[in-house]
Amino acid sequence: ADFDVQALRANILDSQQNNQHFRDFSIRAMKAGVQGYFAFLRGQRVTYCGRQGDQHTEWFPGAKPQAKL
């Protein structure tokens, strides 16, 4: 499937707000075209990878990119 960022973001939001089970999250993420992801705990973000090289980075709630100096 093509990488559907809108579906992925809705899935993430559902997990954050409604405590969706990880199994359900994983199934929905795969249906949105996610092949894998990298969680950067210290960097407070997760980068999701699609089957065709697409990527989407989702920041932890309350976190945001730091300005480069």
Side-chain angles (χ1 to χ4, degrees):
D2 290 333
F3 195 63
D4 186 347
V5 174
Q6 296 296 69
L8 175 59
R9 294 195 76 209
N11 185 24
I12 293 166
L13 187 62
D14 191 25
S15 290
Q16 291 171 341
Q17 294 181 344
N18 302 314
N19 297 318
Q20 175 180 216
H21 290 285
F22 182 72
R23 177 181 166 91
D24 296 331
F25 172 82
S26 297
I27 291 169
R28 288 177 64 186
M30 287 187 287
K31 287 182 180 179
V34 173
Q35 177 178 340
Y37 61 90
F38 298 96
F40 302 96
L41 301 180
R42 290 187 70 188
Q44 298 184 335
R45 61 185 154 227
V46 178
T47 298
Y48 297 89
C49 304
R51 295 178 184 99
Q52 299 176 24
D54 305 273
Q55 295 181 0
H56 170 69
T57 298
E58 189 73 24
W59 292 87
F60 289 12
K64 59 183 176 180
Q66 295 181 350
K68 294 183 179 183
L69 300 175

